Amino acid sequence: MKWYFKCLREASDFYSRASRKEFWMFNFFSILLFIVLGIIDHIMGFTIDDAQVIGPLVITYSICITKPSYAVLVRRLHDVGRNGWSFFIFLIPIFGLIILLIWLCKKSELKENEWGKNPAEEQ
């Protein structure tokens, strides 16, 4: 949970690095919160779609989590030596998503790069 709050605190930081653990733990807790909020929306009868999973709580959370999600994604790309703009490779159908997923799963560059020290050393 500490990784989730760390990413929220660093929502405006697009210039450093994020470890693999930080990125994936943030996304794991984000998905859990989406599920919990979707269930609450459904129980309260607040759903606004046919599948009855999207309601005002899910929409509000989605809006609030957008900037921290992009920030941690960019920092993760920095950690493997890629520029943050590399994110847009996902626009290439199928192959772009596969390449992006490979980059996000790669180990950190051990040496210091232009975006800072290896975050694994700082933990």
Side-chain angles (χ1 to χ4, degrees):
M1 196 70 174
K2 76 176 186 176
W3 299 110
Y4 180 80
F5 291 116
K6 181 180 188 280
C7 290
L8 291 180
R9 281 192 309 273
E10 296 178 359
S12 295
D13 180 10
F14 288 83
Y15 302 102
S16 62
R17 296 169 67 171
S19 67
R20 206 171 21 175
K21 185 174 187 176
E22 178 181 342
F23 175 79
W24 290 109
M25 291 304 285
F26 173 77
N27 284 294
F28 173 73
F29 284 109
S30 291
I31 291 169
L32 283 181
L33 279 169
F34 271 116
I35 292 169
V36 168
L37 292 173
I39 291 169
I40 292 170
D41 274 342
H42 181 72
I43 290 171
M44 301 292 284
F46 291 151
T47 55
I48 56 175
D49 69 334
D50 292 336
Q52 296 188 355
V53 292
I54 298 177
L57 294 176
V58 170
I59 292 170
T60 303
Y61 180 68
S62 299
I63 292 167
C64 293
I65 207 69
T66 300
K67 186 176 179 185
S69 296
Y70 284 128
V72 74
L73 173 71
V74 168
R75 290 195 316 269
R76 179 72 196 124
L77 288 171
H78 289 170
D79 191 45
V80 295
R82 298 283 173 187
N83 188 305
W85 292 103
S86 301
F87 161 71
F88 288 105
I89 197 166
F90 85 93
L91 294 172
I92 300 170
I94 301 171
F95 297 110
L97 281 175
I98 293 169
I99 291 168
L100 184 62
L101 185 61
I102 290 169
W103 288 343
L104 295 174
C105 292
K106 270 179 70 173
K107 283 189 174 186
S108 301
E109 283 190 337
L110 296 178
K111 62 187 185 318
E112 184 173 332
N113 66 20
E114 61 185 283
W115 295 284
K117 292 184 195 175
N118 182 353
E121 293 175 358
E122 299 171 2
Q123 295 173 9

